[in-house]
Amino acid sequence: MAAKKGLPGRGPGFELVFEEGRGIVRITERFVEPMLRVEQLDLVIPDLAFPFDVSGGPGRFQNARLVFGRALVTIEEHLLLRAIEARLRPLGVEDVELRIDDGVLDVVVCGPATAGVSLAITLAADVEGDRDLLLVVDSPRAYGLLPQPVPVVAAQIVKAVAGDLGAPAGLGVVVPDPLKRVLLELLPPIGWRLPAMSDVRLSSVVLSGGTVELAFHSPSAGLSPTESPPSAEALRRIAAARLTRAVE
C-alpha cells in the first residue's frame, strides 16, 4: 500500500497521496483515547479532476465531504492492560495479567472479587454484523473455588472490562461500531468533517504479537483493503467463537 506520490500535510500525520487512481487524504499515527491508535486512515477525495493543484496540501479539504476508504486501528497490549486494571480495580481485582496472541486475549485476574482465586479468561474476537466487534469468552478456568459459577464470574469480569464501550452478549460482549467512536474523537476536535460512510465494514480483527488490529474498508471507495490474514490458530479460535455464539 505504498503511496506513489506524497506531499507534507498540515501538521504531523497528514499527507496528500495519489494511489490506485485516486486522491487521498491520509492521516497516520494518531492516538484516540488513551489506548486506540489510528495507524492509517484514508479519506478519498470525490470527483477529483486532473491536473490537480496540490499547493494547498490536505488542509484544503478540511471542510470537504470526503469518502471513507479504509482504516487500520490498533491497541497495544500494555495500554489495554492499563485500561483493564483501572476498570477492574473498583471490583476488588488486584492482579491482572494479559497476553494477546494467536487470535485471542488471555486475561488472568485475582483479588477479592474472585475470593483470592486466579481466574483465567480467554477471549476470542470476531465481527458482528457490519462494524461491531464481538468478544466471546472461551473456556474460563478457575484455579480454586469461586463464590459463584465460573462462567458467571467470567461474564461479570468481561462486562466490567468493556464498561460503557460494549453491551453484554451471552458469555461475551459486543462493542458497537468502534470506528464511529474513533472518527468522532479524531476528526471534529481538529476541525475536520466526518466522511461519507455508505458501505463501511469491519473487514478483519487480528490478535497477534501483543496487538489488537482492527481493519475497516469501504468496497465502493475503490481502494484495496488493509487487513492482515489471520493465522491458522486465529481462524480456529474464530470458528469456535462463532459456534459458541450460535449455541447461545
Side-chain angles (χ1 to χ4, degrees):
M1 235 170 67
K4 297 179 180 178
K5 183 177 181 181
L7 295 171
R10 177 179 295 176
F14 281 83
E15 192 177 15
L16 183 61
V17 300
F18 299 92
E19 191 171 301
E20 300 184 51
R22 286 163 175 79
I24 301 168
V25 172
R26 176 166 293 165
I27 303 173
T28 58
E29 300 181 354
R30 291 264 177 164
F31 273 99
V32 179
E33 296 186 329
M35 62 179 179
L36 296 175
R37 177 182 168 96
V38 179
E39 301 292 345
Q40 181 173 318
L41 169 61
D42 284 352
L43 305 177
V44 177
I45 304 167
D47 304 320
L48 186 63
F50 292 92
F52 176 66
D53 180 11
V54 299
S55 60
R60 64 184 292 186
F61 299 102
Q62 185 170 351
N63 297 314
R65 181 69 161 170
L66 303 180
V67 176
F68 180 92
R70 58 193 171 194
L72 187 64
V73 179
T74 61
I75 306 172
E76 295 296 325
E77 189 174 85
H78 70 284
L79 297 177
L80 182 57
L81 175 60
R82 190 181 308 164
I84 290 175
E85 288 174 334
R87 289 180 181 272
L88 294 183
R89 198 171 295 120
L91 292 183
V93 174
E94 298 171 346
D95 298 310
V96 182
E97 298 178 13
L98 175 67
R99 175 181 173 270
I100 300 173
D101 207 4
D102 292 329
V104 296
L105 292 90
D106 286 315
V107 185
V108 180
V109 300
C110 184
T114 60
V117 173
S118 292
L119 174 64
I121 303 171
T122 296
L123 290 169
D126 198 7
V127 180
E128 178 87 343
D130 288 335
R131 296 209 295 264
D132 296 346
L133 173 63
L134 173 66
L135 298 174
V136 178
V137 176
D138 178 20
S139 304
R141 305 168 301 283
Y143 300 95
L145 294 176
L146 292 175
Q148 301 181 73
V150 173
V152 173
V153 178
Q156 291 172 348
I157 295 296
V158 172
K159 180 180 177 181
V161 169
D164 60 352
L165 295 179
L171 289 181
V173 65
V174 172
V175 180
D177 201 353
L179 179 62
K180 181 179 179 180
R181 188 182 187 101
V182 167
L183 295 179
L184 283 172
E185 298 201 15
L186 173 64
L187 297 175
I190 57 176
W192 282 71
R193 290 187 63 183
L194 293 173
M197 299 173 61
S198 59
D199 61 345
V200 180
R201 290 176 171 80
L202 174 54
S203 53
S204 74
V205 183
V206 177
L207 289 73
S208 179
T211 302
V212 178
E213 181 182 287
L214 308 177
F216 300 88
H217 180 238
S218 172
S220 65
L223 299 179
S224 303
T226 61
E227 64 258 26
S228 304
S231 66
E233 175 63 16
L235 290 173
R236 186 187 72 78
R237 297 282 192 170
I238 290 171
R242 289 175 177 168
L243 178 60
T244 301
R245 180 68 166 155
V247 170
E248 292 173 358

